[in-house]
Every structure is written in C-alpha cells, then in structure tokens.
Amino acid sequence: MKAAGETAANVDDLIASARQGAPRAVARLISLVEHAHPALEEVAAALLPHTGRAHVVGLTGPPGVGKSTSTSTLVSALRADGNRVGVLAVDPSSPFSGGALLGDRIRMSEHATDPAVFIRSMATRGQLGGLASAASQAVRVLDAAGFDVILVETVGVGQSEVDVVRLADTTVVLLAPGMGDGIQAAKAGVLEIADIFVVNKADRDGAEATVRDLRQLVAMNRREVSGPSWRQPVVPTVAVDGKGSAELLAALRDHLGWLREHGELDRRRLARARAEVEAIALDRLRVRIGELHGGDRLDELARRVVGRQLDPYAAAERLVTDLRR
Amino acid sequence: MKAAGETAANVDDLIASARQGAPRAVARLISLVEHAHPALEEVAAALLPHTGRAHVVGLTGPPGVGKSTSTSTLVSALRADGNRVGVLAVDPSSPFSGGALLGDRIRMSEHATDPAVFIRSMATRGQLGGLASAASQAVRVLDAAGFDVILVETVGVGQSEVDVVRLADTTVVLLAPGMGDGIQAAKAGVLEIADIFVVNKADRDGAEATVRDLRQLVAMNRREVSGPSWRQPVVPTVAVDGKGSAELLAALRDHLGWLREHGELDRRRLARARAEVEAIALDRLRVRIGELHGGDRLDELARRVVGRQLDPYAAAERLVTDLRR
C-alpha cells in the first residue's frame, strides 16, 4: 500500500507540473500511458478531473500533401491567437513507411523552444488497436495538462489513420491540386471523415479546379450522419508561407461552435469514450484468455484446430465459456 | 432444426461442388464467411476435414512495385506446373487508396476464364481485425476447395497488410530498384516478415545494387525468430515478361520443403490458429459487451467517463466483471 501511495503522490505532482507547463512532466505522463505502465490506471484516474476542455483536432490526408508543414503553420497561427498547443504525430508504421517520420519532425523544430507548444511522435508496429488506444490516452494527458488545442496528425495511410482520426472533435482532411482522380476515387471515404477540407499548395496549377470539385462534392453529399446543418468548408492554403491560416483558424472555431450548439460535441465524446472503454475491456479479456489453464488453454485449442478436430468457432466458444468460470 | 438441417445439406453440397471446381460454389462459400452469415459456424465445421493441404503464399510490398503483375505471372507459372491456384487480393482500404483495386483486377483477367484459377478481391473499411479475420476464413474456403496454392496479395500499405501476411505459410516481399532509401528505412520490418525477397523490374537501372544490398542485409540479419537455418533468397524478376518466374517457383518450393522439414509449417499454422481462435472469441465478447443490460451498459459507462465520474479503466473493469455474471 505504501508503494502505491507514493506512486499516487508522484502522479499528482506530475499532473500539477504538467499543468504549470513543464514539458518533462507532460512527456513523463505520456510515457506512462504509452507503455501501459503499472501506474496507468492511477494516472487515468488522476487525469480525469482535468479533462474535457481541449479542442481535439485531427489532421490527415494522403502522403505528399504537406501535412507536417500545415501542422506547423497551424501551430503558429494558434499560438499567435494565444493558445497552448499540443501536437501528437501518429505514424501507424507499416514496414514500408518507416522513413518519413524523422524528417517531418525536424520541420517542426521552429516550435521546439516554445514552452506553450508540446510535440510528441508516436509510432508502433504492434497489435491492432494498440496505437489508437495509446494515442487516445496521450490526448487525455495533453487535455489534462491544459493545452487549449490538441492537433493529432497522422503520418501513415490506412485503416489505423482513420481510427486515430476518430479521436478528434474536428477532423481536417488535407488534399492538394493534381490529385483529381484520387479525390474522385476517395470521395466516399473522405467525405465520411472530414469536417473541414484544406486544399494545400493552392498556388499550384489546378488548385481552383480542386477547390471547385470539392465544393461540388460537399454540396452533393451532405452528411446525414453527424447533422445536416454543418456544411464542410473548403479552405485553400499555402502552408509554406502561411496563406489561408486565418481562414483555417476561423473554420476550426466555427466548427467547434457548431459542435457545441448542436450537442454534437457531447455526442462525439460519448462515442469516443464508448470505443475507448470497449477497447480497454477487450484488451483485458485478451490477457485473461492468455492466462486460462495456466496459459495453456489457447494453445491446446489451437492444436485441435490445426489437427482438424475442432473448427475455430467451436474453439472460440470454449474460450468464452471458460472465461465465465 | 429443420431449417438448420437444410442449411447443413446446402453447405455440404456447396463444398462438394467447390471441390469439383465450380467457381460459383467457391464464391458462395466465401460470401458466407465474409459476411458472417448465420451459417458461418456450420460452414467452418464442414470445411474442417478438407483443410490443411494448400500452400498459402503471401505477397506484399510497397505501392508501384508491380504486385499485381507479379501475382498474375506467378499464377501462370503455377498453372503451367499443374497447380490449381486461388488468389485473394486484399485491400485494407484507406479513404485515400480506393482507386487502385479495379485496375489491378483487370490486369488479372487473362486468368478469368481458367477454371483452375479462382480470384477474389476483398476490401473493407470497418473495424480493426475484421479484414484479417474475413481473409483467414476465405483462405480456409479455398484450402477446402482443393486449391494447391493460395496467393494472398495485399494491395494497401499498413498494419493491416502485415496482419494479412500473417495468414501465409510463406511470405514474399516484393521490392523494386530505386527504392534504396526505402529499403534501408524499412529493413527491420521487412526482414521480420519476408521469407523470400523479389526484386521486380530487375531490368531497370540499379537493380543489381538493390539485389546486392538485400543479400547483404539478409546475411547480416539472420532471423532468429523462425529458425536460423533458412536464409531468405533474393530473386530478381521482370514480371511483365515472366523473367525469374521459374526461380521464384523454385524458391517457393524450397521454402515449403524447409517448413516441413523443420516442423516450422506446424508451428506457423499453430500460431495462425491461435490468433484466429482468439480473434473470434474477442469478437464474440465484443458482441456480449454490447448486449449487457439490454444494450445500455456500455453507453451508461461511457456517459460517466465523459462526465468525469469514472476513468476509462475503471469503466472497463466494470464491463469485464459484468460479463462474468
């Protein structure tokens, strides 16, 4: 009990320091949740009263669209507006996309010395769901640490990216000119997840056409899912020289206002909490499955499946039954 | 009971037809497992005695490497060698990669009229784990239908791809010249999953260097995990004109022989069955969680998390406790 008490005191100290702006305390707390430290549950409980204040913004888009530059420019704009900003750069790293992260992080270095900006990269090559779960805990830490806006930028491309985006209150999808066919092909998926579109590199050929196409798409495909009254804006930007930042900031503010006005913020956060609680519960059940019969039950059933004595569904049903004992 | 009996008879008929080479029966069975049809468990039980014979080969690699052409060329080589071949093209579709699939499939059309070749595309944008699970059931169907070799080609890039690859007895990683930096960056991940390397487009500049680099990498990083006695071969190919097919076929045969000789085939299939049974069990537990308290329990707990009365770990523990009641 004493050790636990000391840990609790440490956790409270860490949270207090994090809220006073100490980047080391923030980093330490994220490490605790990221590596599923034994103190994880204590940390989660201690963070709880301080959460629910930040505007969580997801940024995503295909490779080459200028996501990191856009994130960096957006950080500058948010800072100029008086916000403390947390950035979580998430890379659902496939074995083929390991290279980009470091270079991208270096571009963010202009904010490295600003104590009101906290930047963290997260990458994993582990089991499914692990990254989204770790990212959601990291968002909770940044929220409790008092950051006004938390940007969650995904570097990779794939299902994991979409899962990470589900953490956000507002999702910004970045596109660039000259990806016309891609937009057509992707329109269903992109329309599903975007609250705001950014057409970056808007000084390039074809930018106007891309903006126009997207606006048409938005007009045709009003999202029924999250309320018909929000019409996704399409914001042209040139992130490298900051053009369009003010408009993007205004769009973010508008969307947050809309979320609040329509009860949509609560609805989204409820859905997020639901997914989070379910994922944690399933993770615990996975651990318990692994412990059945002194750790042998799953292997024994798998051997019978390979030996064609039991089909995998019947084997799974036995696991479920065993768990209830 | 009568309805169930009729279904069972249908399932047996379908499997018999599939084993006689009727593509419609194969397609119907895959649809049953893909959409988690109520008869799914019956299908799985009926397939069981016929499984375990096929050589399951995974093909993966970054976009632009010529995966579809390589698959198509490999199908031709396997056919010329007297094999029935099943192809499963899996696209863990992100909202940004929706475009490639159709075109890729069209390239496979030279095999469309060959009754000893069965091609199926699978794509999903759903919950995590869903695609790998559906793909593993489809492999089971193709195996039971008597295909000698089953090629599982992944179109996307990401974690899902790696999970799909885990279905295979033998994993082929395709690379191409001029991706040198990519290879360096990706080497850890690629070495982990590859049993055979193919350097496609081997008539291009830099092919020899790529082959040499890979061979060095292989020499330095012998995989301890799956037995130190297998040294991953590096096979140069030009898939568009069939060059290197014979060598790739020989490498596949060598690897299958090695798997059998070292008890590694059983070990891999055991690991696969283990993952499959666990995934099915967790899926069922997820369904049960959703049904707790007439479907309200998870929502109620999520509301308390959003209201800051309960942290997500404490909420998850309550779900786990409720499940055991």
Side-chain angles (χ1 to χ4, degrees):
Chain A
M1 285 309 289
K2 202 174 177 190
E6 278 167 19
T7 313
N10 289 346
V11 168
D12 285 341
D13 285 353
L14 279 173
I15 291 174
S17 301
R19 291 178 60 77
Q20 280 156 28
R24 285 197 175 193
V26 179
R28 176 77 188 126
L29 285 168
I30 292 183
S31 292
L32 289 178
V33 300
E34 205 174 19
H35 301 112
H37 188 272
L40 174 59
E41 296 178 37
E42 219 164 339
V43 174
L47 293 172
L48 194 68
H50 307 291
T51 56
R53 288 179 188 88
H55 183 197
V56 184
V57 176
L59 287 122
T60 188
V65 82
K67 270 195 297 284
S68 283
T69 314
S70 294
T71 303
S72 186
T73 306
L74 184 55
V75 169
S76 304
L78 286 163
R79 285 294 297 124
D81 206 37
N83 297 284
R84 288 181 66 206
V85 186
V87 179
L88 212 57
V90 181
D91 181 10
S93 50
S94 97
F96 307 113
S97 70
L101 202 59
L102 185 62
D104 286 346
R105 285 318 98 210
I106 288 165
R107 273 184 264 160
M108 289 289 288
S109 61
E110 58 173 301
H111 302 292
T113 55
D114 181 347
V117 177
F118 183 89
I119 300 167
R120 174 79 159 226
S121 293
M122 300 185 88
T124 193
R125 175 184 296 138
Q127 71 219 51
L128 285 165
L131 185 55
S133 167
S136 94
Q137 291 309 311
V139 165
R140 201 172 278 276
V141 168
L142 292 172
D143 184 5
F147 290 98
D148 303 295
V149 180
I150 301 168
L151 304 179
V152 183
E153 178 204 335
T154 51
V155 177
V157 184
Q159 183 57 48
S160 322
E161 182 171 52
V162 177
D163 292 309
V164 168
V165 159
R166 288 201 187 113
L167 299 172
D169 300 319
T170 301
T171 296
V172 178
V173 170
L174 288 98
L175 297 165
M179 308 178 71
D181 289 347
I183 291 173
Q184 283 307 314
K187 61 183 177 185
V190 164
L191 278 166
E192 260 166 43
I193 62 172
D195 297 307
I196 295 168
F197 286 103
V198 165
V199 176
N200 191 31
K201 307 185 182 181
D203 51 348
R204 294 210 181 161
D205 281 351
E208 279 175 41
T210 303
V211 170
R212 195 182 51 232
D213 288 355
L214 271 170
R215 286 187 176 144
Q216 264 177 12
L217 222 69
V218 169
M220 287 188 307
N221 293 279
R222 291 294 203 86
R223 271 192 310 176
E224 303 297 321
V225 191
S226 61
S229 65
W230 177 253
R231 184 169 183 145
Q232 297 133 296
V234 180
V235 183
T237 66
V238 185
V240 285
D241 54 21
K243 265 182 207 145
S245 291
E247 289 78 5
L248 177 54
L249 221 57
L252 286 172
R253 220 176 286 125
D254 285 350
H255 189 248
L256 183 60
W258 178 87
L259 286 171
R260 290 211 170 104
E261 213 173 291
H262 291 79
E264 183 63 20
L265 193 64
D266 287 342
R267 205 193 62 81
R268 291 192 181 194
R269 290 181 173 184
L270 192 65
R272 204 195 302 168
R274 211 177 178 281
E276 196 177 0
V277 171
E278 186 187 71
I280 296 167
L282 287 171
D283 200 50
R284 296 191 164 193
L285 290 164
R286 189 200 330 266
V287 171
R288 291 195 186 191
I289 284 175
E291 291 167 350
L292 286 171
H293 292 211
D296 288 340
R297 183 59 165 155
L298 182 52
D299 277 335
E300 178 211 326
L301 290 168
R303 266 194 298 274
R304 296 179 67 185
V305 169
V306 174
R308 283 171 252 166
Q309 294 141 10
L310 199 63
D311 74 79
Y313 292 90
E317 197 51 47
R318 295 196 189 185
L319 280 183
V320 171
T321 306
D322 286 358
L323 266 189
R324 305 193 64 174
R325 278 189 191 143
Chain B
M1 285 308 289
K2 202 175 178 190
E6 280 168 15
T7 313
N10 289 347
V11 168
D12 285 340
D13 286 351
L14 278 174
I15 292 175
S17 302
R19 291 178 60 78
Q20 281 156 27
R24 285 199 175 192
V26 179
R28 175 79 187 125
L29 285 167
I30 292 182
S31 292
L32 289 177
V33 300
E34 206 175 19
H35 299 114
H37 188 270
L40 175 59
E41 296 179 37
E42 218 165 337
V43 174
L47 293 172
L48 193 68
H50 307 291
T51 56
R53 289 179 187 89
H55 184 198
V56 184
V57 176
L59 288 122
T60 188
V65 82
K67 271 194 298 283
S68 284
T69 313
S70 295
T71 303
S72 185
T73 305
L74 184 55
V75 169
S76 303
L78 286 164
R79 285 293 298 125
D81 207 37
N83 296 284
R84 288 181 66 205
V85 186
V87 179
L88 212 57
V90 181
D91 181 12
S93 50
S94 96
F96 307 113
S97 70
L101 201 58
L102 185 62
D104 287 346
R105 287 317 98 210
I106 287 164
R107 274 184 264 160
M108 289 292 286
S109 61
E110 58 173 303
H111 302 293
T113 55
D114 180 347
V117 177
F118 182 89
I119 300 166
R120 174 78 160 226
S121 293
M122 299 185 89
T124 193
R125 174 183 299 137
Q127 72 220 53
L128 285 163
L131 186 54
S133 166
S136 96
Q137 291 309 312
V139 165
R140 201 172 277 275
V141 168
L142 293 172
D143 184 5
F147 290 99
D148 303 296
V149 180
I150 300 167
L151 305 178
V152 183
E153 178 205 335
T154 50
V155 178
V157 184
Q159 184 56 49
S160 321
E161 182 170 52
V162 177
D163 292 307
V164 168
V165 159
R166 288 199 187 113
L167 299 171
D169 300 318
T170 301
T171 296
V172 179
V173 170
L174 289 99
L175 297 165
M179 308 178 70
D181 290 347
I183 291 172
Q184 284 308 313
K187 62 184 176 184
V190 164
L191 277 166
E192 260 166 44
I193 63 171
D195 297 304
I196 296 168
F197 286 103
V198 165
V199 176
N200 192 32
K201 307 186 181 179
D203 52 348
R204 296 210 180 160
D205 282 352
E208 279 174 41
T210 303
V211 170
R212 195 182 52 233
D213 288 354
L214 271 171
R215 285 186 178 144
Q216 264 177 13
L217 220 71
V218 168
M220 289 187 307
N221 293 280
R222 292 293 203 86
R223 270 191 310 176
E224 303 297 321
V225 191
S226 61
S229 66
W230 176 253
R231 185 170 182 145
Q232 297 133 295
V234 180
V235 183
T237 65
V238 185
V240 284
D241 55 22
K243 265 180 206 147
S245 290
E247 289 78 5
L248 177 54
L249 221 57
L252 286 172
R253 221 176 284 124
D254 286 352
H255 188 249
L256 184 59
W258 177 87
L259 286 171
R260 288 212 171 104
E261 216 173 287
H262 292 79
E264 184 62 21
L265 192 63
D266 286 344
R267 204 193 63 79
R268 289 192 182 194
R269 289 182 174 184
L270 193 65
R272 203 195 305 168
R274 210 177 177 285
E276 195 178 358
V277 170
E278 188 187 71
I280 295 168
L282 287 171
D283 199 51
R284 294 189 167 196
L285 290 164
R286 190 203 324 268
V287 171
R288 292 195 188 192
I289 285 174
E291 291 167 351
L292 287 170
H293 292 211
D296 288 339
R297 183 60 165 154
L298 182 52
D299 277 335
E300 177 211 327
L301 291 167
R303 264 193 299 275
R304 297 179 64 184
V305 169
V306 174
R308 284 172 252 166
Q309 295 141 9
L310 199 64
D311 75 80
Y313 292 90
E317 198 50 49
R318 296 198 187 183
L319 279 183
V320 171
T321 307
D322 286 357
L323 264 189
R324 304 192 65 174
R325 280 193 189 138

